[in-house]
Amino acid sequence: DFMQGREVEPKNYVQIADLKKLLLKMEEYLEDYNSEMGAGKKQMKLVMFLDACEHITRICRILRQPQGHALLLGVGGSGR
């Protein structure tokens, strides 16, 4: 639902066919966030790779649901 942009309503769930477009959209959102934060310490310097983007899309889908919540687990030392 975030592939069409943040301002689009209603946000319909649509399967993503082109994963390269997904990576580009994620990088675009990251650049937007970093430009809004300015040159301060709140900028996120992340490398977006396909597995990370797939996890982000799952988390976004869960959190947009009514009463949506998720438990995120990771291996110690993995930079959770």
Side-chain angles (χ1 to χ4, degrees), residues 10-57:
K11 295 188 179 287
N12 297 322
Y13 179 75
V14 179
Q15 185 173 359
I16 299 170
D18 188 1
L19 296 178
K20 289 184 181 185
K21 286 184 181 179
L22 172 64
L23 289 171
L24 292 173
K25 185 58 101 170
M26 291 289 184
E27 290 173 359
E28 179 184 322
Y29 281 129
L30 180 62
E31 288 175 13
D32 289 347
Y33 176 83
N34 286 338
S35 66
E36 288 176 9
M37 291 297 120
K41 292 184 179 181
K42 293 185 179 182
Q43 284 191 349
M44 293 190 293
K45 296 179 175 109
L46 301 175
V47 176
M48 303 307 279
F49 53 96
L50 186 56
D51 286 337
C53 290
E54 288 176 352
H55 286 299
I56 291 169
T57 58

